[in-house]
Amino acid sequence: MEITEFRIDVPQADLDDLRDRLARTRWPSEIPGTGWSRGVPLDYLRELAAYWADGYDWRVHEARLNEFPQYTTEIDGATVHFLHVRSPHPDATPLLLTHGWPGSVVEFLDVIEPLTRPEDPADAFHLVIPSIPGFGFSGPTRETGWELKRIAAAWAELMSRLGYERFGAQGGDWGSGISREVGLLCPERVIGVHLNYLLTFPSGDPEEMAALTEEEQRRLGGLKRFEDELSGYMYIQATRPQTLAYALNDSPVGQLAWIVEKFKDWTDAKDVPEEAVDRDRLLTNVMLYWLTGTAGSSAQLYYEFAQAWGMPEMLTVPTGLALFPAEVAPPIRAWAEKTNTIVHWSEFDRGGHFAAMEEPDLLVADVQAFFRGLRSRP
């Protein structure tokens, strides 16, 4: 039950080792003119790695992270690291924010201030932002079985330890699935679930498929593109995460490429990820994987999910969705409503999968609007 204060203080030797490894990278060849079509381009990655070695200053971003109160506690045999940022408004709504892969608590740095200190005190939140077991300073995990339901149970216990009997949940990517599971586990405690990612799947009903609008058909095409072209990482992590870990844990450039590719494919960026996400913020996110050696343990979540997967259960907790156009496979509302109690649905004209990093203002306003709407419901 003990909660311990935590402060990030990376040994200088670890930073020196990183710089040395970057300098000694054994670069592969590349077929000219292929761009991003076969993976991360060589020239782009060499330049980014050079900046990581000689331009990026970890200490600046370490200090930024340490501006927020952080803690660790042990739940169900796992270390759980979390940020706990209380609003100055005592009646603020407790809100659990959960990241995904290849994200981290770094995703939420730009939403903390506006969510805890809004202009209208009624829109204020006390924020709890945990690192998923196996990720960052919550990792690596020490045993098997950490799938979404178990993580949700740990989150419910964490909120109890912090004294929050009633709270909201928000997330994208794995944070979406975990937030839904928290709502399924303890619906009497969860005020509402706000998501910025939700996969929906076709039923195969010919009449239902024929009734799809042109936009819904486009979204279904996004799902097909993901399955055909963009899902290779998922099958590797869901089947052989340990084998992958040897490469990513030993090579910082390998870890960088594995993550930066997703920030190109899944964001509202045309040519390079930095069009959507600040370069230093992207590298700080990568650093949390590299410095903690959690490339492999974070990938284990895909393996655990594949072993435990079942059809989604009906979530009765009021649910809101914020949809961003560059999302890989945006949901179709009629299908989303089959397994979720949708009371709020927003669609935006910019942004992608990493909404809290790409468009923090839009996400903050939508979270506030969703929970404001719940307060006005009978």
Side-chain angles (χ1 to χ4, degrees):
M1 297 292 290
E2 182 180 0
I3 294 176
T4 305
E5 290 187 3
F6 180 85
R7 184 174 178 83
I8 304 170
D9 186 13
V10 173
Q12 184 60 40
D14 290 355
L15 303 180
D16 294 341
D17 174 70
L18 169 61
R19 187 170 289 107
D20 179 63
R21 287 170 181 265
L22 289 170
R24 293 186 296 106
T25 300
R26 184 173 180 235
W27 294 98
S29 62
E30 178 185 52
I31 297 176
T34 55
W36 287 84
S37 65
R38 302 182 183 214
V40 183
L42 178 60
D43 287 348
Y44 168 80
L45 198 65
R46 290 190 79 140
E47 191 277 327
L48 182 59
Y51 174 77
W52 192 11
D54 298 320
Y56 172 83
D57 187 346
W58 163 254
R59 294 302 184 196
V60 170
H61 302 284
E62 180 182 70
R64 169 64 172 155
L65 283 163
N66 281 331
E67 290 176 5
F68 304 107
Q70 298 175 63
Y71 306 87
T72 59
T73 189
E74 185 170 311
I75 301 176
D76 193 13
T79 297
V80 174
H81 161 263
F82 62 98
L83 280 61
H84 184 199
V85 187
R86 290 185 60 86
S87 170
H89 305 294
D91 295 330
T93 301
L95 181 62
L96 180 62
L97 298 177
T98 306
H99 65 85
W101 183 93
S104 66
V105 296
V106 170
E107 288 186 50
F108 298 112
L109 293 184
D110 290 335
V111 305
I112 292 175
E113 183 76 12
L115 285 174
T116 56
R117 297 174 178 270
E119 291 184 8
D120 185 349
D123 287 333
F125 295 91
H126 299 309
L127 299 180
V128 179
I129 311 175
S131 298
I132 296 172
F135 288 68
F137 297 107
S138 284
T141 40
R142 298 182 288 271
E143 60 183 5
T144 62
W146 277 100
E147 41 73 46
L148 301 191
K149 286 182 170 59
R150 187 173 178 183
I151 297 168
W155 279 195
E157 171 62 20
L158 175 61
M159 296 304 275
S160 294
R161 290 187 188 183
L162 295 174
Y164 297 132
E165 183 56 30
R166 293 269 288 163
F167 57 90
Q170 198 286 327
D173 196 85
W174 285 122
S176 168
I178 293 167
S179 296
R180 287 191 79 256
E181 290 294 341
V182 173
L184 290 166
L185 176 68
C186 47
E188 72 288 348
R189 295 183 62 191
V190 179
I191 300 165
V193 173
H194 183 279
L195 310 173
N196 56 279
Y197 176 77
L198 181 68
L199 274 179
T200 55
F201 300 95
S203 66
D205 182 344
E207 291 187 8
E208 190 176 71
M209 298 299 289
L212 292 176
T213 66
E214 184 175 339
E215 170 59 20
E216 289 171 338
Q217 290 173 356
R218 184 194 69 80
R219 293 180 182 184
L220 195 57
L223 179 61
K224 186 176 188 307
R225 176 175 177 255
F226 176 78
E227 292 174 341
D228 292 348
E229 181 185 343
L230 304 178
S231 59
Y233 80 96
M234 181 179 69
Y235 288 104
I236 292 172
Q237 296 193 156
T239 56
R240 294 294 184 270
Q242 185 61 36
T243 303
L244 175 68
Y246 298 111
L248 302 189
N249 201 65
D250 189 58
S251 167
V253 164
Q255 177 69 92
L256 179 64
W258 194 248
I259 290 178
V260 79
E261 180 185 84
K262 304 313 167 198
F263 278 83
K264 168 61 169 62
D265 287 341
W266 298 352
T267 62
D268 200 4
K270 181 181 179 182
D271 296 317
V272 292
E274 293 93 323
E275 294 172 350
V277 175
D278 176 78
R279 172 175 279 201
D280 276 17
R281 186 63 54 80
L282 173 59
L283 289 172
T284 300
N285 181 68
V286 174
M287 286 290 274
L288 260 62
Y289 285 82
W290 176 257
L291 294 171
T292 59
T294 50
S297 58
S298 62
Q300 296 287 345
L301 180 53
Y302 285 82
Y303 186 95
E304 300 292 352
F305 178 79
Q307 302 302 307
W309 188 84
M311 290 301 293
E313 299 176 49
M314 181 65 192
L315 177 62
T316 59
V317 172
T319 302
L321 253 57
L323 308 182
F324 295 85
E327 184 59 79
V328 179
I332 293 172
R333 181 162 186 168
W335 299 351
E337 289 177 338
K338 292 181 179 180
T339 52
N340 301 273
T341 305
I342 305 294
V343 301
H344 176 95
W345 186 279
S346 300
E347 301 194 16
F348 298 99
D349 62 359
R350 63 185 189 275
H353 189 73
F354 301 95
M357 300 175 82
E358 296 179 69
E359 301 294 342
D361 292 346
L362 293 181
L363 184 65
V364 165
D366 202 70
V367 169
Q368 291 171 335
F370 169 64
F371 283 96
R372 192 184 310 129
L374 295 185
R375 290 195 296 271
S376 66
R377 288 168 63 88

